[in-house]
Amino acid sequence: MPRRIFIGDIHGHFDGLQRLWEAIAPEPDDKVYCVGDLIDRGPKSADVVDFVRRNAAGCVRGNHEQLILDTFVDGKINPPTLQGWIFSGGQATLTSYHGSAATLEDHLDWLRQLPLYIDLGDLWLVHAGVNPMLPVAEQSSYEMCWIRETFHSSLTPFFSDKLIITGHTITFTFPGVDPGQIVAGRGWLDIDTGVYHPRSGWLTALDWDNQIVYQVNVFEPIERVRSCAEAITYLDPTMIKKRPRDMATRAAF
């Protein structure tokens, strides 16, 4: 049967992505999806965007894609968002284009058309999550690209018939979760294992249909394949500390 495979936040780590792609070895009928945050922090964001654009079946918009789109508007730089983007890893992304404004603009055009979510029937792909108190039609790019605690602390699954797959929040930042583990909450699964972070370095791909997790470490020559039963840590949502606004954590990761 064709596989549906989901790759966590890549953050410019093209070499790690190549190793991971070799490990999962997609067949022509397999569908590989990305949860966003292709860019920033790592050294080869331009290469990542080009590869995902050509090879993935789909990708949703992450908060780092939203940052660069808010920075480059109508061919001009928007100063109010430039500093925040640079602080969040944007300088590495600019460097990866080697001065090619044409390539950058071409990639920006592609990033602008990325959807906020992808509905696969039993699975629902989004970068950060959703506001549990709003229907899908009323969710904004802020909720879907930036939300954290309001979503993770929900005691009730958002969908009764779909699992939400996300990235955005590094899994070891949840209480009691070790680096490299993926996290399951009430109706959601987070596969951002913190590829760029010195505490982790793990880039993760989830083969949902076969319940297999593929991982490579970008800081060490390590690859591993594990069952979902071994790789998933189940989270008690009551352990999540709510903050007045999720905006308080925007720049954290």
Side-chain angles (χ1 to χ4, degrees):
M1 295 292 293
R3 298 179 294 170
R4 293 173 297 173
I5 300 166
F6 303 90
I7 297 179
D9 303 32
I10 301 167
H11 282 298
H13 283 276
F14 177 71
D15 294 343
L17 175 61
Q18 295 303 287
R19 289 166 54 203
L20 186 64
W21 202 269
E22 291 177 4
I24 61 180
E27 297 290 339
D29 290 338
D30 292 337
K31 303 294 185 182
V32 182
Y33 299 89
C34 295
V35 299
D37 278 9
L38 306 178
I39 63 171
D40 297 345
R41 304 193 189 282
K44 297 182 179 180
S45 289
D47 291 330
V48 170
V49 172
D50 184 64
F51 184 85
V52 170
R53 180 183 183 180
R54 290 186 290 107
N55 293 282
C59 179
V60 293
R61 189 190 317 169
N63 60 304
H64 284 262
E65 283 79 42
Q66 190 63 58
L67 279 172
I68 193 174
L69 294 176
D70 290 342
T71 299
F72 292 93
V73 180
D74 297 328
K76 299 179 181 178
I77 293 177
N78 183 25
T81 58
L82 175 62
Q83 183 176 0
W85 177 56
I86 293 297
F87 175 78
S88 299
Q91 184 60 57
T93 297
L94 281 178
T95 301
S96 74
Y97 282 92
H98 305 291
S100 176
T103 302
L104 174 59
E105 187 55 44
D106 181 47
H107 285 185
L108 288 171
D109 287 341
W110 181 76
L111 294 175
R112 289 186 186 101
Q113 57 81 45
L114 290 180
L116 290 172
Y117 67 88
I118 297 174
D119 189 346
L120 298 176
D122 58 331
L123 301 173
W124 204 79
L125 187 66
V126 68
H127 179 64
V130 290
N131 187 328
M133 296 173 286
L134 296 175
V136 171
E138 295 181 19
Q139 305 277 342
S140 69
S141 61
Y142 169 71
E143 278 86 20
M144 294 188 183
C145 292
W146 289 102
I147 202 164
R148 295 192 196 274
E149 291 89 351
T150 301
F151 171 63
H152 297 135
S153 62
S154 178
L155 301 178
T156 305
F158 187 79
F159 295 112
S160 61
D161 60 345
K162 303 176 191 288
L163 176 70
I164 297 176
I165 297 179
T166 76
H168 185 52
T169 300
I170 297 177
T171 54
F172 71 70
T173 64
F174 291 104
V177 179
D178 294 328
Q181 289 293 102
I182 59 179
V183 173
R186 301 286 173 87
W188 56 265
L189 194 64
D190 181 353
I191 61 172
D192 176 11
T193 45
V195 61
Y196 72 87
H197 200 287
R199 280 193 60 194
S200 176
W202 290 108
L203 178 61
T204 294
L206 168 68
D207 175 354
W208 177 253
D209 297 295
N210 292 300
Q211 293 290 284
I212 295 174
V213 173
Y214 298 84
Q215 293 181 310
V216 300
N217 195 289
V218 300
F219 301 135
E220 301 178 58
I222 302 173
E223 295 86 26
R224 64 187 185 186
V225 180
R226 300 190 290 166
S227 68
C228 282
E230 181 183 7
I232 295 176
T233 296
Y234 290 87
L235 181 72
D236 179 355
T238 64
M239 299 295 291
I240 301 295
K241 295 181 180 179
K242 295 182 181 180
R243 304 189 186 194
R245 290 188 67 193
D246 283 306
M247 186 68 78
T249 65
R250 278 181 62 133
F253 301 104

